[in-house]
Amino acid sequence: MTDLDVTTAHRSARDVLSWSRAGVDPALRTAVDRLPDSMRAIAGYHFGWWDEHGHPTGADPGKAIRPAFALLAAQAVGGAAATALPAAVAVELVHNFSLLHDDVMDGDSTRRHRPTAWSVYGVNAAILAGDALLTLALDVLAGSGHPAAARAIRVLSDATQRLNDGQAADLAFEERADVPVGECVRMAENKTAALIGAACAVGALFGDGRGDQVERLRSFGELVGLAFQFTDDLLGIWGDPEVTGKPVFSDLHNRKKSLPVVAALASRTPAARELDALYHTDAPLTADELARAAELIEASGARAWSLEQADDLVTRARVHLRAAAADDRAERELDALACLATRRDH
C-alpha cells in the first residue's frame, strides 16, 4: 500500500485535491523530466515549478481536478489509487497540452496570475511544448505496463480528438454572427466534458472496473464536466480576478461566444438586441461597455439559466455515480469533488 491509498476519515473536496496533488506531482515531474531540455523548460514554467530562468517558484499550480477524478474513480470501482497514477498523470498532461494551445489561440497573456508560456517563450515554442505534453501523456500510459493501458490510450485519444473539435468550434463561433444554444452546448461537451469523462474512465480502467462501471463513470464525468464549463463561463464574466487569475470581464473582452453569452443572444429580449450590437462593433469594448454587456446577459435571464443548467447536470451525474460505485467513501468524495468543481466562488 502506498501513501495514495492511506487516507483519513471525512476528507473534504479540498483535502482530496491536496491528497491528489501530493501523489501526482512527483510522478508528473518524473515524466516531464524525460522531455528534451527545450520542452522541459517551458513545461516546468507552465506548471509553475520554476520561472523563465529555471529558478524554483511557489507559483499556483492549479487545482489538478482531473487527476483527482482519475484516482477516485479507481477507488470507486474497488481498485487502488496508486495503480491509477499513470492514468492521472496522463490526463493532467493532456489537459495542460490544451491549456498551452488555448492561451496561444485566445491571445491570453496571463494564467494563474503569471504571464502565459507563449508570452514568455514565444508562440511557436509554446505550441511545440503543448505537442510534447500530449505525446508524453500517451507514452506514460503505454509504459505503465497495466493490462488496460491500450484501452486507456484509446479512451484518452478519443477525448483529445473531441477536445480539438470543440476548440475548433469555439474559435469558429468568434467569426459567426449566429450560434444556436444547442451547438454551443455540443462544443462545451467536446472541449471540456470529454476530458473529464475520460479522466473518470481511465481511472476506472486502471482500477480494474467492469465495463458498465467504466461507462457509468465516464457519463458521470462528462455531465460534471459540462456543469463545470457552465460555471467556468460564468466566472469568465463575473469571476474575481484574484481568484480566476484573469482580468475582469475577460471572456467579454475577447467577445467569446460562451454559454451564457450565446443563451443571452438567443433570448429574443431587448437585452439580446443591445448585446448583439455591442458584440458586433469593430472597436475594442470600453470598460463601461464591458460592464454593460455583463448587465445585459444577466437581464436576459442567461445567468440564471446557466446556474440552473449546472445544478441539473450535477443531479443527473449523481445517478450514474450511484450506479457505478462499489466503494461508498470514493462515491462520497467524487460527489464532493463534483460540487467543488461547480461552486460559484472558486
Side-chain angles (χ1 to χ4, degrees):
M1 181 177 289
T2 70
D3 289 345
L4 271 175
D5 293 299
V6 177
T7 57
T8 57
H10 307 300
R11 296 188 302 186
S12 70
R14 294 196 182 279
D15 290 336
V16 169
L17 289 179
S18 296
W19 160 80
S20 171
R21 173 63 77 187
V24 169
D25 263 5
L28 185 61
R29 285 176 180 261
T30 297
V32 170
D33 279 345
R34 302 208 308 266
L35 292 174
D37 288 344
S38 58
M39 300 294 99
R40 177 181 173 275
I42 301 169
Y45 173 85
H46 171 76
F47 280 114
W49 299 336
W50 48 72
D51 63 18
E52 63 269 32
H53 306 295
H55 301 143
T57 68
D60 177 11
K63 294 185 290 295
I65 200 165
R66 291 159 187 81
F69 275 119
L71 297 177
L72 287 178
Q75 292 184 325
V77 298
T83 65
L85 192 54
V89 168
V91 166
E92 184 69 349
L93 288 168
V94 171
H95 175 55
N96 282 277
F97 135 76
S98 74
L99 296 183
L100 281 163
H101 284 197
D102 279 0
D103 286 341
V104 169
M105 288 182 276
D106 293 343
D108 286 338
S109 59
T110 60
R111 177 174 292 280
R112 299 168 187 153
H113 311 286
R114 304 170 78 214
T116 47
W118 73 264
S119 69
V120 174
Y121 295 93
V123 167
N124 293 338
I127 291 172
L128 290 171
D131 294 342
L133 293 187
L134 177 58
T135 304
L136 182 61
L138 300 179
D139 184 64
V140 166
L141 289 178
S144 69
H146 195 284
R151 290 174 62 197
I153 289 172
R154 295 293 299 273
V155 168
L156 199 55
S157 296
D158 177 69
T160 304
Q161 295 287 19
R162 288 180 60 191
L163 186 159
N164 290 336
D165 186 42
Q167 176 68 3
D170 194 21
L171 291 171
F173 289 173
E174 295 177 18
E175 308 299 324
R176 289 172 50 185
D178 181 44
V179 177
V181 173
E183 193 173 341
C184 190
V185 170
R186 286 192 295 275
M187 177 275 293
E189 287 172 340
N190 287 333
K191 182 179 176 181
T192 302
L195 185 57
I196 295 180
C200 293
V202 296
L205 283 170
F206 271 64
D208 296 323
R210 302 186 310 270
D212 63 301
Q213 290 177 306
V214 172
E215 290 309 311
R216 286 283 194 175
L217 284 167
R218 188 210 300 259
S219 296
F220 162 77
E222 290 204 8
L223 289 166
V224 170
L226 185 54
F228 176 89
Q229 188 60 60
F230 270 101
T231 304
D232 200 56
D233 283 354
L234 291 170
L235 292 174
I237 300 172
W238 291 283
D240 180 353
E242 291 298 316
V243 177
T244 66
K246 293 188 175 184
V248 66
F249 303 138
S250 172
D251 284 357
L252 299 182
H253 181 269
N254 294 327
R255 289 184 169 89
K256 287 186 70 68
K257 298 289 199 321
S258 62
L259 288 159
V261 170
V262 169
L265 290 170
S267 66
R268 301 183 184 277
T269 61
R273 291 190 288 274
E274 187 178 344
L275 179 66
D276 183 72
L278 277 177
Y279 246 60
H280 294 98
T281 55
D282 292 330
L285 296 177
T286 67
D288 286 345
E289 287 172 331
L290 290 169
R292 179 58 178 162
E295 291 172 358
L296 292 169
I297 293 166
E298 183 154 17
S300 74
R303 186 178 188 177
W305 173 79
S306 295
L307 292 169
E308 290 168 3
Q309 292 297 305
D311 287 341
D312 179 64
L313 286 161
V314 172
T315 298
R316 290 165 53 196
R318 289 189 176 113
V319 175
H320 293 283
L321 178 58
R322 286 194 295 270
D327 181 89
D328 291 341
R329 180 196 179 108
E331 178 184 343
R332 289 194 304 272
E333 292 183 345
L334 279 167
D335 184 83
L337 205 57
C339 292
L340 178 67
T342 55
R343 276 177 52 180
R344 320 295 183 227
D345 58 349
H346 69 287

